[in-house]
Amino acid sequence: MGFSREINRLLVGLLFMFGIVALSAAYWSITGPDTILRRADNPRRVEAERAIERGALVDRNDHVLAYTESADGIVTRRYRYPAMYSALGYYSYRYGSSGIEGAYDALLSGTDQVTSTGDALLNGLMHRPQVGSDARLTLDLEVQEAVAAALAGQTGAVIVIGVPNGEVLALASLPTYDPNTLDENWDALIGAPGNPFFNRALQGQYQPGAALQTPLLAAAMLVNIPLETVDASATQPVPLGDLNLACAVRLPEIELTLSEAYAFACPRAFADILDPIGVDTLNTVLMTFRLNESPLLAGFEPPPTSTPSTLRLTPDNLLETALGQGQFTVTPLSMALMAAGIVNDGNAPQPYLLQQSRQPDGAWIDVRTARASLPITTTNSARRLQDLMRGAVAFGAAQNAGRPGIDIGGHASIAYSGEGSQAWFVGFATFGGANGAAVAVILENSDDPGRAADIGGTALAAAQAALLGQPSS
């Protein structure tokens, strides 16, 4: 009897152990593999991720900008053109990704591709690396190279946008770095002067200074302030705290109309019209121009900002904010879109960078989602602003932007930040019909709006050559 009980206990124990083994086998065959693969310290996962063959990045004319090189099981990301470094960002297994590489990481790495369980198992058994999709960007290599050459030696950013569609033709930020040597130079780059990892074109938040005079003119038109009224004190400086805000170029004490004061970016004439315009109208115009927002490119994270989207003008902050020296800041992208909206008769196109994608062994497919343009002002106001900006290039502070045979309008100005100053140029060019381009240039630690205007003119000339298929001058 005692022997039978021992046998029964042994059988129960064996059955219990078999149950545990069966449950473990079921877990590891169904759920466990995925759990293991997700572990950061899993050597197979590390090996698989290091072997990923990212898709190529090409420009609008199929110049290969970045590609993956694989040799003897070692995968390396290569970047071909220094002018494109700041726009493309980097990909590193050790440090992750940024810029365009980061924005479209799922596409380029292939993690967005739907793979059947059977294919996944087969790829694992055959040790086939994951292969990502190629991406065709709206960037134009020749425009980017022209912009980068013009910007060389400066700290700042340039954005060029095609009109009316909103394609980003150039996206430059300096200083930058070589992503081909990122891994070995990472520690030095982290502490490098000028923060080369910071994309000033998309993330920079800058005092607009006199660059805010363009929406101020729109507000003046809205309340029917005559633009040709003479202001006897137009060239006098405006004291603002420790600052004396003056015209963008040195002028004698002369009378100027409001439109002439705009051409030379003189703040006094605009300070004098703030009360007639009124706080409510100015708030409405800033909201309509969407300058109190941070415009985004699809796939990119919102830029860090010190400017609350709810910032409003009040009688207490009216003067400093309306003259671009308050808490209100803008991005180069938002200023470029303002210029694009003006040249597009009041409708700002929504910007995009990703045009097409191509899976391995597949064909190019369009991936851009059409988005309606955003109205920022009336057609009549936009056309009056166009003419005023043409005047600033013809005889004002933006003369350096002029290029023979190209219809260019713009506004060159200065803003102050801390103990330094910044030079702005915000402008456009028309290429016939509805086609054109818009540009925003910001130069840090600069009091030379003429230099900013010259860079803007170079960018617009390169955009014309690219969009019309002409050799650039």
Side-chain angles (χ1 to χ4, degrees):
M1 193 72 173
F3 179 74
S4 298
R5 282 198 300 270
E6 292 299 325
I7 292 294
N8 289 335
R9 289 174 183 170
L10 180 61
L11 287 174
V12 170
L14 288 173
L15 289 174
F16 179 74
M17 294 300 296
F18 278 127
I20 291 176
V21 170
L23 289 173
S24 297
Y27 171 81
W28 290 114
S29 63
I30 298 173
T31 305
D34 189 48
T35 303
I36 291 178
L37 285 174
R38 285 200 300 266
R39 288 174 59 105
D41 60 348
N42 179 13
R44 293 183 64 183
R45 178 190 174 189
V46 171
E47 182 181 350
E49 289 192 2
R50 293 186 69 127
I52 291 175
E53 296 183 5
R54 291 172 73 84
L57 288 165
V58 304
D59 83 338
R60 61 193 296 270
N61 296 313
D62 285 335
H63 294 107
V64 177
L65 309 176
Y67 63 97
T68 296
E69 185 178 82
S70 181
D72 299 325
I74 299 175
V75 174
T76 307
R77 192 67 166 166
R78 299 294 187 192
Y79 301 87
R80 299 184 63 189
Y81 301 101
M84 284 288 181
Y85 289 168
S86 65
L88 299 183
Y90 64 81
Y91 169 76
S92 164
Y93 173 75
R94 183 180 300 171
Y95 299 112
S97 57
S98 74
I100 289 173
E101 288 275 24
Y104 308 123
D105 179 68
L107 174 73
L108 295 168
S109 65
T111 55
D112 67 334
Q113 298 173 20
V114 178
T115 305
S116 68
T117 304
D119 287 342
L121 289 173
L122 182 60
N123 290 338
L125 290 172
M126 301 295 291
H127 299 287
R128 294 172 180 166
Q130 183 172 306
V131 181
S133 299
D134 299 331
R136 176 178 284 144
L137 306 172
T138 62
L139 294 175
D140 188 289
L141 176 61
E142 293 184 0
V143 180
Q144 183 82 11
E145 288 185 328
V147 165
L151 192 60
Q154 303 287 323
T155 297
V158 180
I159 293 182
V160 184
I161 297 175
V163 176
N165 295 324
E167 64 269 36
V168 178
L169 299 173
L171 184 68
S173 174
L174 289 182
T176 187
Y177 56 92
D178 183 351
N180 293 298
T181 62
L182 181 82
D183 286 349
E184 51 263 45
N185 293 334
W186 179 266
D187 291 337
L189 289 171
I190 286 293
N195 191 359
F197 287 129
F198 184 58
N199 189 324
R200 288 164 164 80
L202 298 179
Q203 296 177 309
Q205 290 279 345
Y206 295 98
Q207 301 291 140
L212 212 57
Q213 290 178 2
T214 300
L216 290 181
L217 271 184
M221 295 176 195
L222 195 62
V223 296
N224 298 314
I225 293 177
L227 303 187
E228 302 311 314
T229 299
V230 173
D231 188 329
S233 61
T235 60
Q236 295 179 8
V238 178
L240 194 64
D242 295 333
L243 295 173
N244 272 323
L245 306 182
C247 302
V249 294
R250 186 172 297 176
L251 294 174
E253 290 191 14
I254 56 175
E255 296 180 344
L256 294 177
T257 65
L258 186 58
S259 59
E260 290 169 338
Y262 174 77
F264 293 103
C266 295
R268 168 58 67 183
F270 288 88
D272 291 343
I273 64 171
L274 294 180
D275 285 339
I277 291 174
V279 170
D280 291 340
T281 299
L282 286 174
N283 276 320
T284 299
V285 169
L286 287 179
M287 290 181 62
T288 304
F289 272 67
R290 291 177 169 80
L291 292 179
N292 57 352
E293 301 175 6
S294 294
L296 298 179
L297 284 167
F300 285 81
E301 293 295 323
T305 174
S306 59
T307 303
S309 60
T310 56
L311 177 67
R312 292 183 63 81
L313 293 168
T314 67
D316 293 333
N317 67 20
L318 176 61
L319 180 63
E320 63 177 3
T321 304
L323 296 186
Q325 294 301 150
Q327 296 183 9
F328 184 72
T329 58
V330 295
T331 67
L333 178 58
S334 64
M335 299 303 277
L337 291 175
M338 179 183 74
I342 290 170
V343 73
N344 198 37
D345 286 344
N347 296 295
Q350 297 198 54
Y352 68 102
L353 257 172
L354 183 60
Q355 190 171 339
Q356 293 179 312
S357 68
R358 177 176 61 188
Q359 289 193 1
D361 302 321
W364 288 108
I365 59 172
D366 292 331
V367 294
R368 179 202 170 200
T369 301
R371 296 187 295 170
S373 59
L374 302 173
I376 64 171
T377 188
T378 66
T379 299
N380 287 339
S381 292
R383 291 181 178 176
R384 291 183 72 186
L385 289 172
Q386 291 169 22
D387 289 339
L388 290 163
M389 295 172 82
R390 290 184 178 102
V393 172
F395 65 86
Q399 289 183 62
N400 287 0
R403 295 294 185 274
I406 306 179
D407 173 37
I408 294 179
H411 188 243
S413 59
I414 297 176
Y416 297 91
S417 180
E419 297 181 357
S421 57
Q422 301 159 169
W424 279 101
F425 175 76
V426 180
F428 65 82
T430 63
F431 307 145
N435 297 314
V439 66
V441 180
I442 178 71
L443 303 181
E444 296 180 14
N445 307 312
S446 173
D447 59 359
D448 189 356
R451 181 65 182 272
D454 184 53
I455 294 172
T458 297
L460 292 170
Q464 183 196 52
L467 295 177
L468 299 185
Q470 300 173 348
S472 57
S473 56

